[in-house]
Amino acid sequence: MLAAAGNKIGEKIGCVSWDGSAHPDQFWHNYSLGNVKEKTFKEIWENPAEPVLNKLHKKNEFADARCLKCKWFDLCKGNFRFLGANGNDENWLNEPPCYLTDEEIA
């Protein structure tokens, strides 16, 4: 495994907003993982029942099919973007779309 290992959203990057809401990173204010006024950050961050963090912690299982077959995936880990208010699969996108051609990822 590469030391950089790609996008760290929800793994080693997090954000606590002014009101105590915890988010997977500073850009994901549409979805709160919990509030540090009610639980410790550790309890929020390590909650195995949290659907968004569960997917972010298991990118090798939930990444886009094109990403998973890419030879650069271990370096990049996709660029997950969560665009919804719940953890449903339809709220996930790779954003921005990958600029590599199919030949470059093979």
Side-chain angles (χ1 to χ4, degrees), residues 13-75:
I13 296 174
C15 175
V16 177
S17 62
W18 64 270
D19 65 354
S21 296
H23 305 280
D25 78 4
Q26 69 273 26
F27 302 111
W28 288 32
H29 289 276
N30 56 311
Y31 185 84
S32 176
L33 303 168
N35 194 293
V36 297
K37 295 177 183 178
E38 299 164 8
K39 295 180 182 178
T40 68
F41 185 78
K42 180 178 173 139
E43 290 173 313
I44 293 168
W45 202 249
E46 295 179 356
N47 179 0
E50 169 44 58
V52 169
L53 280 180
N54 186 39
K55 288 181 180 180
L56 290 172
H57 291 167
K58 297 177 182 177
K59 291 176 184 169
N60 291 355
E61 296 174 29
F62 293 104
D64 180 78
R66 185 172 188 267
C67 288
L68 290 174
K69 67 180 183 179
C70 178
K71 68 181 176 183
W72 304 108
F73 182 73
D74 284 337
L75 178 64

